[in-house]
Amino acid sequence: MRAVLRFVRWTLTVLTSEDGHPPVFSAVCSACHDASIGYARSEKAQDWCLEHAGKTGHESYRLVIESWAVATQATPAP
């Protein structure tokens, strides 16, 4: 039995707000690992950091931006 190998190119496209998939912004405290919810605006995640800092004194945060993507074949399947 012989195997037939076929290589297919794929492309990855980041979806945007216009596609109905806006990015989601959140933050995680580096000290206690408390995390914000996801927000549609980056300013809300930054506000969460400042409020958390005011309550806890924690100074370091990881800002997270989640976006959506779709993979498609660049060459059609046979």
Side-chain angles (χ1 to χ4, degrees):
M1 178 178 233
R2 293 177 72 180
V4 176
L5 300 178
R6 180 176 62 90
F7 295 95
V8 177
R9 286 193 184 275
W10 287 81
T11 60
L12 190 66
T13 303
V14 176
L15 300 176
T16 65
S17 297
E18 291 79 27
D19 299 319
H21 294 83
V24 177
F25 301 90
S26 60
V28 179
C29 176
S30 297
C32 70
H33 305 288
D34 195 8
S36 74
I37 63 170
Y39 298 102
R41 295 178 42 221
S42 63
E43 295 85 3
K44 292 288 192 180
Q46 293 172 19
D47 289 345
W48 181 88
C49 293
L50 297 174
E51 289 175 20
H52 188 76
K55 292 176 186 174
T56 63
H58 298 161
E59 299 175 338
S60 179
Y61 298 88
R62 178 169 43 101
L63 298 176
V64 180
I65 304 169
E66 294 181 48
S67 58
W68 308 96
V70 63
T72 54
Q73 286 187 11
T75 54

